[in-house]
């Protein structure tokens, strides 16, 4: 019993991207969406918004190169039933030649757009909860810390990269954005230095104003090691930020997938 609709929040992008190394992930089988000179967001809202409802601001995963605003390992419908609205956004891909800073600009523009339109939708833009999985977990955590807005009440980080200083190789591979080095080179906007890695790492954006943060991470994650979240939460403790790290013992990447499994119940309860 909810309403869903798609809105264009950003226009004026180039007719063609800088390059096109996009396709389908050999790991997940999820594909990139085709390039378009605009970006959309998808709004899901409960039927009753007589009192504006808080917003789950969702950033999808997919290795910074695949996925779309409908990509999620968990149920939007469950949280709509609990009285949340969901706004899930598109952002530019690394495989189209865009850096993490470009993605941050997209996220910032999407938040601005939501704040302008939330009242019309029956949503409460002063109560934003950033949520993202994998690449989306990195972007949600990093952008929430960088935006530093009082409207962002929490971050729910699902197994995102927190510290790029020792995650993936980095080298100029032209238009190749594979994990062998080109992806990180593109995300940093063409720099393989310690300061460039730190600039796109949530760990180094934490301040005393950062929102409360919950991370949900499989302890046997082979794509994003569990120690990434351990480091993040140790740093949050140093700054006195309320935080909880939920270790999902023996689980791999995307432990919350499905609905009736124990880890899926854990995910819903933790949020």
């Amino acid at each position: 019993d909810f309403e869903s609709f798609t809105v264009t929040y950003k226009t004026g992008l180039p007719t063609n991207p800088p390059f096109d190394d996009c396709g389908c992930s050999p790991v997940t089988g999820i594909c990139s969406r085709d390039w378009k000179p605009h970006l959309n967001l998808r709004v899901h809202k409960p039927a009753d918004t007589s009192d504006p409802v808080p917003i789950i601001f969702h950033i999808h995963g997919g290795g910074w190169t695949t996925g779309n605003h409908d990509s999620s390992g968990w149920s939007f419908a469950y949280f709509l039933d609990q009285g949340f609205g969901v706004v899930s956004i598109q952002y530019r891909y690394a495989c189209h030649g865009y850096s993490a800073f470009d993605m941050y600009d997209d996220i910032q523009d999407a938040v601005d757009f939501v704040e302008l339109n939330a009242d019309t939708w029956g949503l409460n833009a002063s109560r934003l909860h950033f949520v993202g999985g994998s690449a989306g977990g990195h972007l949600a955590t990093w952008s929430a810390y960088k935006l530093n807005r009082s409207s962002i009440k929490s971050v729910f980080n699902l197994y995102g990269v927190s510290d790029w200083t020792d995650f993936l190789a980095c080298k100029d591979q032209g238009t190749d954005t594979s994990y062998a080095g080109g992806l990180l080179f593109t995300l940093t906007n063409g720099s393989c230095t310690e300061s460039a890695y730190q600039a796109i790492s949530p760990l180094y954006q934490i301040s005393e104003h950062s929102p409360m943060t919950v991370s949900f991470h499989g302890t046997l994650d082979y794509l994003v090691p569990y120690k990434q979240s351990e480091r993040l939460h140790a740093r949050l403790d140093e700054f006195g930020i309320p935080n909880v790290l939920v270790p999902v013992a023996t689980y791999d990447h995307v432990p919350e997938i499905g609905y009736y499994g124990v880890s899926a119940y854990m995910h819903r309860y933790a949020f």
Side-chain angles (χ1 to χ4, degrees):
D1 191 16
F2 55 87
E3 179 185 354
S4 299
F5 52 90
T6 301
V7 183
T8 297
Y9 77 87
K10 188 166 188 169
T11 59
L13 298 176
T15 304
N16 296 299
F19 58 78
D20 191 346
D21 185 44
C22 295
C24 298
S25 166
V27 177
T28 66
I30 298 173
C31 298
S32 310
R33 66 179 184 277
D34 293 335
W35 172 261
K36 293 181 180 177
H38 62 266
L39 294 170
N40 294 333
L41 56 79
R42 185 94 170 136
V43 178
H44 308 273
K45 49 180 275 190
D48 183 5
T49 54
S50 51
D51 291 322
V53 299
I55 300 169
I56 294 175
F57 187 87
H58 176 251
I59 304 174
H60 71 80
W64 304 269
T65 60
T66 65
N68 205 349
H69 49 49
D70 291 327
S71 304
S72 172
W74 48 276
S75 169
F76 289 174
Y78 173 85
F79 291 97
L80 290 160
D81 285 343
Q82 301 302 312
F84 290 90
V86 179
V87 175
S88 187
I89 72 165
Q90 295 178 334
Y91 53 88
R92 284 172 287 180
Y93 290 144
C95 57
H96 281 142
Y98 291 100
S99 72
F101 302 101
D102 297 315
M103 299 172 196
Y104 172 77
D105 287 343
D106 297 338
I107 293 164
Q108 185 174 37
D109 288 341
V111 171
D112 290 342
F113 186 87
V114 169
E115 289 181 344
L116 283 173
N117 292 279
D119 285 347
T120 304
W121 302 334
L123 306 182
N124 187 347
S126 67
R127 296 175 65 193
L128 292 169
H129 301 277
F130 272 46
V131 180
S134 196
H138 160 250
L139 292 172
T141 309
W142 182 58
S143 59
Y145 293 168
K146 281 172 64 67
L147 283 167
N148 191 22
R149 298 191 186 186
S150 61
S151 59
I152 302 173
K153 302 303 183 186
S154 72
V155 180
F156 196 82
N157 164 43
L158 295 155
Y159 41 86
V161 177
S162 299
D163 183 2
W164 285 93
T165 60
D166 68 347
F167 184 75
L168 297 186
C170 178
K171 58 183 176 181
D172 185 353
Q173 294 184 283
T175 61
D176 181 353
T177 52
S178 69
Y179 288 2
L183 174 62
L184 182 51
F185 186 80
T186 303
L187 288 174
T188 60
N189 202 25
S191 177
C192 294
T193 64
E194 188 86 358
S195 61
Y197 304 152
Q198 291 183 5
I200 65 168
S201 296
L203 185 74
Y204 299 97
Q205 310 303 318
I206 296 170
S207 74
E208 63 273 15
H209 304 295
S210 296
M212 74 170 285
T213 302
V214 176
S215 292
F216 191 81
H217 207 142
T219 60
L220 299 184
D221 192 328
Y222 83 106
L223 279 177
V224 179
Y226 177 71
K227 66 180 181 181
Q228 287 278 326
S229 288
E230 288 184 311
R231 288 180 191 169
L232 179 72
H233 286 268
R235 183 83 163 177
L236 289 164
D237 284 339
E238 291 175 12
F239 279 85
I241 304 302
N243 71 91
V244 177
L245 170 56
V246 182
V248 191
T250 76
Y251 275 78
D252 202 339
H253 209 57
V254 200
E256 81 284 7
I257 197 165
Y259 192 87
Y260 294 106
V262 170
S263 56
Y265 277 96
M266 289 172 62
H267 161 263
R268 294 194 293 274
Y269 180 80
F271 183 83

